[in-house]
Amino acid sequence: MDWKRQKDMSLLRAVWNPKDKKKIKESQNYVLEVSREKILEQSLEKIVKVLPVGGQDPLKLPLEITFEKEPGIDVGGVRKEYFSLIMKEIFNLEFAMFKFNEDTQLYWFNGQTYEPNLNFELVGNLMGIAFYNNMFVDMPLVPACYKILLGKEPDLNDMA
């Protein structure tokens, strides 16, 4: 409902403000343009550092993805591909943000990574953006992680 309200309010602002009439499409979506080669770096720069516009959080608007130098209209497929590519990059073992457990086929945070905390903030922001955009994101994290994110206390079964 918050997403719908954000979209409606953006549209109303665009209609009533003559300067924004030309930007109605932009006011309804958060347009993210990234290159495939630098998807993680550019996403970090453009998502984590986004500032509110008119007191509203642009990340709560519908996400529209464009890949640099690639024509195409995002009606869902490009957005799915974006989330697939960035999650593959984030969970890449060479990136070392997460450790993979062969027995459970799940990931856990790597406490010995040299990656800055800002990259973990990107993961959280991506989870929220995926939620707002009704996107399924394959994040094979241990159940304890999801409980922590929901503010619940994990138990021993979650840690098994």
Side-chain angles (χ1 to χ4, degrees), residues 31-35 42-43 46 64-69:
V31 180
L32 179 64
E33 183 176 352
V34 293
S35 73
Q42 289 180 354
S43 293
K46 294 178 181 181
E64 182 179 324
I65 300 292
T66 56
F67 288 108
E68 285 181 0
K69 301 176 186 169

Side-chain angles (χ1 to χ4, degrees), residues 31-160:
V31 180
L32 179 64
E33 183 176 352
V34 293
S35 73
R36 290 178 185 273
E37 295 78 29
K38 297 180 180 180
I39 192 168
L40 193 60
E41 296 88 1
Q42 289 180 354
S43 293
L44 177 66
E45 179 182 313
K46 294 178 181 181
I47 290 177
V48 172
K49 297 178 182 178
V50 70
L51 298 173
V53 177
Q56 303 296 320
D57 185 355
L59 297 178
K60 292 184 178 179
L61 293 171
L63 182 66
E64 182 179 324
I65 300 292
T66 56
F67 288 108
E68 285 181 0
K69 301 176 186 169
E70 291 184 28
I73 299 172
D74 186 5
V75 290
V78 179
R79 190 171 37 225
K80 285 180 187 176
E81 183 180 10
Y82 167 78
F83 278 107
S84 173
L85 291 173
I86 198 154
M87 289 301 154
K88 193 178 290 184
E89 185 76 20
I90 286 171
F91 286 103
N92 184 342
L93 294 178
E94 292 176 14
F95 194 50
M97 283 180 63
F98 296 92
K99 290 182 179 180
F100 184 69
N101 184 319
E102 289 287 335
D103 295 335
T104 62
Q105 298 290 302
L106 297 172
Y107 291 88
W108 184 250
F109 299 102
N110 181 1
Q112 299 174 346
T113 186
Y114 293 108
E115 293 299 321
N117 289 340
L118 201 58
N119 288 0
F120 288 99
E121 188 175 332
L122 173 64
V123 174
N125 283 334
L126 286 169
M127 290 174 76
I129 291 169
F131 176 77
Y132 269 101
N133 287 274
N134 296 321
M135 297 295 301
F136 173 78
V137 179
D138 185 22
M139 295 188 72
L141 298 171
V142 297
C145 180
Y146 291 108
K147 279 195 172 177
I148 291 168
L149 290 171
L150 292 171
K152 296 181 179 179
E153 192 72 31
D155 56 30
L156 290 177
N157 291 332
D158 297 321
M159 304 299 279

